[in-house]
C-alpha cells in the first residue's frame, strides 16, 4: 500500500477546517437562534465555541496518536470497543447528514432569491440538488473538492465586507432587550448553535496527509476555531444590530437580507450566489464524509457486508452514499427546520462528549501503544469540562433530542448484536475498566469457565520462546524505561533465587493482528545484546524473551504465574492509582498479581552507594529491612532506616521507636543506622533528605482524593518529590 504523502500545509489545513464550519452555521442558523435569545445571540456563539474547545484539543491528541486511523469512529471504538463504536458510527453519520440536510434547506431559501420558486417547493428543489450531489459522490468527482479553498475565500470576503459596512450602521435600539428569554434561553441557544462548530475537528480524519501533524494539526484546529468564533460573534452582532428581531427570527437567509439592506439589490444577489455556492459545497462534503461511516462500519463487520461494496468503476461506496442521501431526502421533506438543527447539535454534543471520555480512558489505562506527540493541556480538567458542559447542553436541547439519542443507543446496540457480536476486537476500557464502567457496556464473563488464555505472540527466531520456570524475579520491559539494564539490575538485587526472567512486551491495539509484529525489530536485538552484556558483567543468570500482546496486564499476570516468581519488578512514572472507573495496567497488577511487586522510578542514578528506607506507620519493618539489606549487599551500599514523626511526639516515644528500629536493623548484614526526623510535612522532609541518598525505598502509597480515585490520576507524592531514584515495594504479607 502506498504511503500517504504529507502534502497539506498549515494554511491548507486551516482552510479545510474553516470550510467545515463555514456554511449553515452563519448563512442559515442566526435567525432561528436569535428567536430563542434575542440580541444576545452573539454571546451564545461565543459560549458554544468555549464548549467545543475541549473536543478540539481531545481530537488533536487522538489524531496525533492515530494519524491514519480514520477519525472519530475508530478513536471511540479503540477506547470503548465495538458496541459503543457502533453507536458512535451511527451517531456521527446522523449528525453529519442532518447538518447537510439543514444546509440544503437553507440552500433552497437562498436559491429562491435568484430564481422564481414557490416557497412551498423549496424543499423539493433541495431534494433535486441532493440528487445531483448523490451523482457527484457516486462518480467520485474530485475536482469539486479542489474548489473548496476558493469557496471559503469568497465566503470570508463576503462576510468581511458585511462586517466592515454593517458595524457603523448598528442601531442600538435593535440590541434591546439583550435576553428575551432569560439566561435559560441563552444557554438553550448555546446548545442550538453548537453544531455550527462541528467542522473544526473534521481535519483529524486526514492527519496522515498533514505536514508536521504533531504541531500543525492542533494549531490548525485552534486557529480555525478562533477565526470562526470571531466571524460568528461579529456577524451575528451586526445582524441583530441592523435587522429588527421580528424580521430576523423568521429569516433563513440572513446574509442575503443584511447584504441587500447595506448594499442594495445587486449586492444582495451577489451574497445570495455566494450563499448558494457555500451551502451546496458544504452539503456535498457532508455527504462525502457521512457516507464513509457506515462504509467503515460494514468493513469492520458491524453492518451488513453489502454496505462495504465499492463501485466497480468509480471505486466509491455506492450503497452507503445512496442510503445517506435517501435519509437526507426524508429529513428535508418531513422534518421541521428547527428540529433538524436541534437533532444535529444533539448528536454532535454526544459524540464530542465521548471523544473527551476516550482521552481520559486512553490516558488513564496507559495503553502502551497510545503515545500522542501532542497532549491536551490542563488534563483532565479540560475533558471533564467538555463532558459536563455536554450533559448540560443535552438537557437544554429538550426532550425530543434526548429521546433521539436514547433511540440511537438502542439502535446501535441492536445492530451490534445482529451483525457485530462475532467481532474479536475489544476496546481499552474492556481490558482495564472496573465493574461500574464495564457493566455499562459488557456482560461479566467467567474466564476460568471459558478457558481464557492471553493472546501472546513470541518472536521465536530471536529467542528460544521458553520462559524459565524457576525465576525468582520477572522484569517486564515496556519500552518506556530510562535504562532497561538498570531495571533488570534492580530485579537482580532483590532476587533470592538463581534465575531472572526479563521480558520485552509490546502492546498493540486489539484491531491490529499480532502476526504483523512477528519480525524482530532492531530494538529487540539491541535489548538482547545489552542484557546479555549485563548478565556477563555481573555474573547473573538472566533469560530474555520478547512478546507481542493485545493486553499487557493479563499477559504479565499469566507470565508471572508461569514462572512462579517471588517478585515482579517494573519501571514506573510515579502513577499507580487504581481508579473506580478506569485503571492503568500497574493499578490492575498491584490489585491482582499473586507475587510481591516492586516499582522502580529511575531518576538517573547509576551508582547506588547509600539506600534510604522510609517506612510509614503500620508497616512490618523487618520484611522491608530484609529486602533493603539484600539490595545493599548487592551494591555494597549502606542502609538508613528513616522514620518521620509528627512534631507533637514526645522524647520518650521517639526513644522507644529508635530502640525498636535499632533492634530490627541490627540484623542487617550491611552497614546501617536509624534516623528519626520530627516534621508535620513528611513529603517535604523525605524530599530534602533524599538528596543525600541514591535510592529511596517506600511502601504502598496512601489513598488520594475522589477525582484521582474516580479516574486513576493519583500520583505518589513521596515519589514525585524524591531527589533520588525510588523503589516502591508491595508485599502480600503486609
Amino acid at each position: 500500500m502506498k504511503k500517504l504523502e504529507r502534502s497539506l500545509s498549515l494554511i491548507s489545513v486551516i482552510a479545510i477546517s474553516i470550510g467545515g464550519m463555514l456554511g449553515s452555521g452563519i448563512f442559515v442558523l442566526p435567525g432561528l437562534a436569535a428567536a430563542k435569545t434575542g440580541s444576545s445571540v452573539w454571546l451564545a456563539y461565543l459560549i458554544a465555541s468555549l464548549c467545543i474547545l475541549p473536543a478540539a484539543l481531545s481530537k488533536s491528541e487522538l489524531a496525533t496518536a492515530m494519524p491514519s486511523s480514520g477519525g472519530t469512529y475508530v478513536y471511540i471504538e479503540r477506547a470503548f470497543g465495538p458496541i459503543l463504536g457502533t453507536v458512535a458510527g451511527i451517531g456521527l453519520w446522523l449528525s453529519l447528514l442532518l447538518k447537510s440536510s439543514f444546509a440544503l434547506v437553507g440552500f433552497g431559501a437562498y436559491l429562491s432569491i435568484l430564481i422564481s420558486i414557490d416557497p412551498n417547493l423549496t424543499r423539493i428543489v433541495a431534494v433535486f440538488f441532493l440528487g445531483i450531489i448523490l451523482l457527484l459522490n457516486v462518480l467520485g468527482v474530485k475536482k469539486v473538492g479542489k474548489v473548496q479553498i476558493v469557496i471559503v475565500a469568497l465566503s470570508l470576503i463576503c462576510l468581511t465586507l458585511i462586517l466592515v459596512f454593517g458595524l457603523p450602521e448598528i442601531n442600538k435600539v435593535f440590541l434591546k432587550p439583550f435576553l428575551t428569554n432569560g439566561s435559560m434561553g441563552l444557554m438553550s441557544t448555546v446548545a442550538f448553535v453548537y453544531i455550527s462548530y462541528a467542522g473544526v475537528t473534521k481535519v483529524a480524519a486526514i492527519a496522515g496527509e498533514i505536514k508536521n501533524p504533531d504541531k500543525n494539526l492542533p494549531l490548525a484546529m485552534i486557529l480555525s476555531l478562533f477565526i470562526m468564533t470571531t466571524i460568528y460573534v461579529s456577524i451575528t452582532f451586526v445582524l441583530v444590530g441592523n435587522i429588527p428581531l421580528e424580521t430576523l427570527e423568521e429569516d433563513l437567509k440572513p446574509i442575503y437580507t443584511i447584504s441587500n439592506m447595506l448594499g442594495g439589490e445587486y449586492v444582495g444577489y451577489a451574497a445570495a450566489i455566494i450563499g448558494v455556492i457555500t451551502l451546496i459545497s458544504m452539503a456535498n462534503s457532508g455527504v462525502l464524509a457521512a457516507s464513509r461511516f457506515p462504509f467503515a462500519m460494514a468493513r469492520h463487520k458491524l453492518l451488513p457486508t453489502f454496505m462495504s461494496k465499492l463501485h466497480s468503476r468509480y471505486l466509491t461506496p455506492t450503497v452507503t452514499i445512496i442510503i445517506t442521501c435517501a435519509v437526507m431526502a426524508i429529513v428535508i421533506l418531513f422534518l421541521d427546520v428547527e428540529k433538524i438543527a436541534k437533532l444535529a447539535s444533539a448528536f454532535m454534543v454526544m459524540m464530542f462528549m465521548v471523544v473527551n471520555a476516550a482521552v481520559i480512558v486512553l490516558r488513564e489505562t496507559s495503553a502502551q501503544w497510545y503515545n500522542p506527540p501532542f497532549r491536551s493541556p490542563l488534563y483532565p480538567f479540560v475533558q471533564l469540562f467538555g463532558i459536563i458542559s455536554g450533559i448540560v447542553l443535552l438537557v437544554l436541547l429538550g426532550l425530543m433530542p434526548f429521546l433521539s439519542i436514547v433511540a440511537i443507543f438502542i439502535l446501535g446496540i441492536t445492530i451490534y448484536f445482529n451483525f457485530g457480536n462475532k467481532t474479536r476486537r475489544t476496546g481499552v476500557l474492556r481490558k482495564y475498566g472496573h465493574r461500574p464502567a464495564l457493566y455499562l457496556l459488557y456482560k461479566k464473563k467467567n474466564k476460568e469457565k471459558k478457558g481464557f488464555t492471553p493472546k501472546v505472540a513470541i518472536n521465536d527466531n530471536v529467542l528460544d520462546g521458553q520462559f524459565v520456570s524457576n525465576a525468582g524475579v520477572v522484569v517486564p520491559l515496556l519500552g518506556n524505561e530510562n535504562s532497561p539494564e538498570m531495571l533488570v539490575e534492580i530485579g537482580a538485587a532483590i532476587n533470592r533465587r538463581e534465575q531472572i526472567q526479563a521480558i520485552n512486551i509490546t502492546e498493540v491495539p486489539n484491531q491490529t493482528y499480532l502476526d504483523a509484529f512477528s519480525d524482530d525489530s532492531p530494538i529487540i536485538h539491541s535489548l538482547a545484546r545489552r542484557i546479555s552484556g549485563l548478565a556477563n558483567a555481573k555474573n547473573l543468570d538472566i533469560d530474555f524473551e520478547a512478546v507481542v500482546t493485545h493486553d499487557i496486564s493479563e499477559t504479565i499476570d499469566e507470565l508471572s504465574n508461569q514462572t512462579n516468581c517471588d517478585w515482579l519488578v517494573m519501571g514506573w512514572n510515579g502513577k499507580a492509582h487504581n481508579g473506580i472507573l478506569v485503571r492503568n495496567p500497574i493499578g490492575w497488577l498491584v490489585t491482582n498479581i499473586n507475587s510481591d511487586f516492586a516499582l522502580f522510578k529511575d531518576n538517573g542514578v547509576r551508582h547506588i552507594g547509600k539506600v534510604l528506607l522510609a517506612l510509614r506507620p503500620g508497616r512490618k519493618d523487618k520484611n522491608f529491612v530484609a529486602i533493603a539489606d539484600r539490595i545493599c549487599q548487592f551494591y555494597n551500599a549502606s542502609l538508613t532506616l528513616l522514620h518521620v514523626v509528627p512534631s507533637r511526639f514526645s522524647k520518650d516515644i521517639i526513644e522507644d521507636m529508635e530502640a525498636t528500629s535499632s533492634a530490627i536493623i541490627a540484623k542487617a548484614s550491611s552497614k546501617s543506622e536509624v534516623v528519626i526526623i520530627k516534621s508535620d510535612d513528611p513529603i517535604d522532609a523525605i524530599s530534602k533528605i533524599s538528596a543525600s541518598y541514591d535510592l529511596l525505598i517506600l511502601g504502598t502509597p496512601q489513598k488520594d482524593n475522589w477525582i484521582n480515585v474516580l479516574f486513576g490520576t493519583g500520583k505518589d507524592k513521596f515519589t514525585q518529590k524524591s531527589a533520588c531514584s525510588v523503589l516502591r515495594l508491595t508485599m502480600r504479607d503486609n
Side-chain angles (χ1 to χ4, degrees):
M1 185 182 227
K2 188 177 179 181
K3 189 176 180 181
L4 283 172
E5 183 182 355
R6 296 189 181 275
S7 57
L8 295 176
S9 65
L10 177 61
I11 300 298
S12 299
V13 179
I14 291 174
I16 293 170
S17 186
I18 290 175
M21 290 183 279
L22 196 60
S24 57
I26 193 63
F27 280 87
V28 184
L29 202 58
L32 297 175
K36 294 177 172 298
T37 190
S39 64
S40 58
V41 63
W42 63 268
L43 182 58
Y45 275 94
L46 178 60
I47 297 172
S49 72
L50 296 177
C51 293
I52 211 89
L53 181 60
L57 293 171
S58 293
K59 196 95 174 269
S60 296
E61 178 172 324
L62 292 168
T64 56
M66 298 170 267
S68 58
S69 58
T72 305
Y73 156 66
V74 176
Y75 306 155
I76 293 172
E77 196 207 37
R78 286 194 176 184
F80 297 100
I83 293 181
L84 196 55
T86 305
V87 174
I90 295 171
L92 288 161
W93 175 63
L94 285 172
S95 65
L96 282 174
L97 72 83
L98 284 166
K99 186 181 180 185
S100 299
S101 301
F102 185 65
L104 282 173
V105 172
F107 160 81
Y110 277 90
L111 188 64
S112 66
I113 301 300
L114 302 174
I115 58 177
S116 180
I117 302 175
D118 188 314
N120 296 322
L121 296 178
T122 54
R123 290 175 182 259
I124 302 296
V125 172
V127 172
F128 172 76
F129 278 91
L130 176 61
I132 297 175
I133 289 173
L134 186 155
L135 187 63
L136 289 173
N137 276 270
V138 169
L139 296 177
V141 178
K142 296 180 180 178
K143 290 185 179 180
V144 176
K146 296 179 180 179
V147 184
Q148 184 73 19
I149 294 178
V150 176
I151 295 172
V152 169
L154 285 174
S155 299
L156 290 177
I157 291 170
C158 174
L159 295 172
T160 302
L161 290 173
I162 290 172
L163 183 62
V164 170
F165 291 101
L167 276 175
E169 300 297 324
I170 285 177
N171 187 340
K172 293 182 180 179
V173 175
F174 293 161
L175 298 178
K176 296 178 181 179
F178 184 66
L179 296 170
T180 55
N181 293 304
S183 57
M184 289 302 293
L186 173 64
M187 294 311 297
S188 65
T189 309
V190 171
F192 186 67
V193 302
Y194 189 90
I195 192 65
S196 304
Y197 294 101
V200 69
T201 64
K202 276 187 180 179
V203 292
I206 56 169
E209 302 172 56
I210 298 172
K211 291 179 181 178
N212 192 14
D214 303 351
K215 177 183 177 182
N216 287 342
L217 180 60
L219 187 59
M221 283 194 189
I222 301 304
L223 287 176
S224 59
L225 180 60
F226 175 77
I227 292 169
M228 286 309 302
T229 300
T230 304
I231 290 172
Y232 282 144
V233 171
S234 57
I235 293 298
T236 50
F237 182 73
V238 168
L239 288 173
V240 295
N242 284 272
I243 305 173
L245 184 59
E246 57 270 18
T247 302
L248 183 62
E249 63 186 9
E250 297 179 355
D251 195 351
L252 292 180
K253 46 186 188 311
I255 298 302
Y256 161 76
T257 302
I258 187 69
S259 300
N260 186 62
M261 183 180 294
L262 294 173
E265 183 179 3
Y266 292 107
V267 173
Y269 285 151
I273 292 171
I274 292 173
V276 165
I277 295 172
T278 302
L279 291 169
I280 198 74
S281 173
M282 175 186 170
N284 177 69
S285 62
V287 170
L288 178 69
S291 61
R292 267 51 179 181
F293 285 110
F295 172 72
M297 292 169 66
R299 296 189 70 178
H300 290 168
K301 310 300 182 186
L302 298 177
L303 284 175
T305 53
F306 76 88
M307 296 177 70
S308 65
K309 291 182 179 179
L310 295 172
H311 192 283
S312 58
R313 180 179 177 184
Y314 302 112
L315 300 178
T316 52
T318 309
V319 175
T320 57
I321 291 172
I322 293 172
I323 292 173
T324 299
C325 290
V327 175
M328 286 177 63
I330 294 170
V331 169
I332 292 169
L333 291 173
F334 299 106
L335 273 187
D336 177 74
V337 179
E338 185 172 333
K339 288 181 179 178
I340 297 174
K342 275 190 174 183
L343 285 173
S345 283
F347 291 137
M348 195 53 68
V349 169
M350 180 185 74
M351 288 301 98
F352 283 167
M353 285 169 58
V354 180
V355 164
N356 285 311
V359 170
I360 291 175
V361 168
L362 291 170
R363 283 244 205 150
E364 296 309 324
T365 54
S366 299
Q368 189 190 33
W369 55 266
Y370 185 72
N371 187 29
F374 171 80
R375 289 182 175 264
S376 170
L378 300 177
Y379 171 86
F381 303 106
V382 166
Q383 284 68 33
L384 291 175
F385 171 74
I387 294 170
I388 294 169
S389 63
I391 293 171
V392 173
L393 293 178
L394 285 179
V395 171
L396 292 171
L397 280 169
L399 182 61
M400 189 269 290
F402 177 77
L403 292 177
S404 300
I405 288 175
V406 173
I408 292 304
F409 268 91
I410 294 172
L411 177 62
I413 292 170
T414 302
I415 289 174
Y416 171 78
F417 282 109
N418 278 279
F419 299 103
N421 60 343
K422 293 182 181 179
T423 182
R424 295 183 178 180
R425 299 188 307 277
T426 58
V428 170
L429 182 63
R430 183 169 184 176
K431 298 176 186 178
Y432 302 128
H434 287 320
R435 290 181 183 177
L438 289 177
Y439 281 148
L440 296 176
L441 300 175
Y442 303 105
K443 187 182 293 184
K444 187 180 178 183
K445 296 181 179 179
N446 189 321
K447 293 177 182 177
E448 289 76 15
K449 289 182 180 179
K450 297 188 73 172
F452 173 81
T453 54
K455 298 174 183 176
V456 179
I458 300 174
N459 296 331
D460 296 320
N461 56 336
V462 169
L463 316 158
D464 59 20
Q466 300 294 320
F467 302 108
V468 294
S469 59
N470 195 38
V473 171
V474 171
V475 184
L477 301 172
L478 306 183
N480 56 356
E481 298 82 11
N482 289 342
S483 170
E485 298 97 315
M486 190 67 192
L487 183 60
V488 174
E489 192 175 285
I490 288 290
I494 295 175
N495 193 24
R496 291 182 298 182
R497 305 190 208 174
E498 293 293 326
Q499 293 179 306
I500 301 166
Q501 179 71 69
I503 310 166
N504 185 80
I505 303 178
T506 301
E507 183 185 48
V508 297
N510 197 269
Q511 292 84 348
T512 304
Y513 290 109
L514 296 176
D515 292 344
F517 290 81
S518 59
D519 294 336
D520 307 309
S521 69
I523 294 175
I524 300 299
H525 288 287
S526 174
L527 275 174
R529 177 187 61 79
R530 287 149 56 193
I531 290 176
S532 177
L534 172 66
N536 293 332
K538 299 286 186 178
N539 194 26
L540 301 171
D541 187 352
I542 305 173
D543 181 69
F544 176 70
E545 303 293 336
V547 300
V548 181
T549 180
H550 285 146
D551 192 323
I552 282 183
S553 298
E554 291 177 345
T555 299
I556 293 174
D557 187 23
E558 184 67 21
L559 293 173
S560 69
N561 289 334
Q562 286 183 24
T563 57
N564 194 30
C565 63
D566 300 320
W567 283 91
L568 195 68
V569 179
M570 293 182 66
W572 185 37
N573 66 353
K575 183 175 75 172
H577 208 296
N578 209 18
I580 294 173
L581 296 181
V582 294
R583 62 194 172 207
N584 54 66
I586 289 178
W588 186 91
L589 289 165
V590 168
T591 306
N592 293 275
I593 207 78
N594 293 323
S595 62
D596 292 336
F597 200 74
L599 296 172
F600 180 61
K601 187 173 188 295
D602 187 351
N603 284 337
V605 179
R606 292 295 170 263
H607 173 72
I608 296 178
K610 298 179 69 178
V611 175
L612 178 67
L613 174 60
L615 295 178
R616 301 184 181 113
R619 299 292 178 189
K620 294 185 178 180
D621 293 7
K622 61 181 180 180
N623 295 341
F624 283 90
V625 169
I627 299 299
D629 184 42
R630 192 178 306 142
I631 293 171
C632 288
Q633 290 182 60
F634 182 89
Y635 286 108
N636 193 27
S638 63
L639 174 63
T640 298
L641 176 58
L642 172 68
H643 289 296
V644 179
V645 300
S647 57
R648 68 176 184 275
F649 272 28
S650 66
K651 183 179 179 181
D652 292 339
I653 294 176
I654 293 175
E655 287 178 352
D656 289 343
M657 183 181 293
E658 185 173 10
T660 302
S661 298
S662 296
I664 293 172
I665 204 170
K667 299 178 182 179
S669 302
S670 308
K671 179 182 177 183
S672 58
E673 64 174 340
V674 175
V675 173
I676 298 177
I677 298 176
K678 277 188 175 184
S679 175
D680 293 321
D681 186 353
I683 295 174
D684 181 66
I686 291 177
S687 174
K688 289 178 179 177
I689 196 171
S690 67
S692 301
Y693 292 85
D694 306 309
L695 179 66
L696 169 64
I697 300 178
L698 297 168
T700 305
Q702 296 173 325
K703 297 291 183 183
D704 222 310
N705 63 44
W706 70 270
I707 292 180
N708 297 337
V709 170
L710 184 66
F711 293 108
T713 56
K715 297 253 184 184
D716 183 352
K717 294 178 182 177
F718 289 94
T719 302
Q720 293 298 110
K721 298 290 185 178
S722 174
C724 62
S725 295
V726 181
L727 186 66
R728 201 198 95 184
L729 305 177
T730 301
M731 287 185 273
R732 293 302 163 202
D733 57 352
N734 282 270

